[in-house]
């Protein structure tokens, strides 16, 4: 009777360990997939933000360039400051 009980206990313990390992592997795979999806979404968001920032910088540069040209034109054509 003792041997039967111990055998059943060992079998139950083995099954529980196997079940835990399988569950852990599944959860790990799911977590890796979720992280991969999150990283892909973050990469796409970062790319969009970088494009928007680049467009804003380009627009700001054009505005500054226009102001500089305007100032240079005013300085070149004003005669009030030369007297």
């Amino acid at each position: 009777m003792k041997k039967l009980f111990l055998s059943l206990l060992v079998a139950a313990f083995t099954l529980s360990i196997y079940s835990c390992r399988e569950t852990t592997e599944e959860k790990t795979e799911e977590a890796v997939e979720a992280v991969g999806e999150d990283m892909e979404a973050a990469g796409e968001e970062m790319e969009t933000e970088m494009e928007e920032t680049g467009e804003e910088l380009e627009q700001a540069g054009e505005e500054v360039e226009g102001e500089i040209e305007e100032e240079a034109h005013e300085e070149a054509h004003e005669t009030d400051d030369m007297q």
Side-chain angles (χ1 to χ4, degrees):
M1 187 72 176
K2 206 177 199 182
K3 287 182 181 182
L4 178 63
F5 178 74
L6 285 176
S7 296
L8 289 175
L9 186 62
V10 168
F13 183 70
T14 304
L15 286 175
S16 68
I17 289 174
Y18 179 75
S19 176
C20 282
R21 284 185 181 169
E22 191 171 290
T23 303
T24 302
E25 287 176 8
E26 290 172 0
K27 287 183 179 181
T28 302
E29 289 173 2
E30 290 172 3
V32 167
E33 288 176 10
V35 168
E37 291 171 0
D38 289 347
M39 288 179 65
E40 185 176 333
E44 290 173 0
E45 185 176 333
M46 187 171 70
E47 184 177 335
T48 302
E49 291 293 326
M50 288 175 62
E51 287 175 2
E52 289 175 2
T53 302
E55 290 171 2
E56 290 173 2
L57 285 171
E58 186 176 328
Q59 186 178 23
E62 289 173 358
E63 288 176 9
V64 168
E65 185 178 326
E67 290 175 6
I68 291 173
E69 287 176 1
E70 185 179 321
E71 286 290 325
H73 181 72
E74 286 178 6
E75 287 293 323
H77 291 87
E78 282 186 7
T79 55
D80 292 339
D81 292 338
M82 298 176 76
Q83 292 177 352

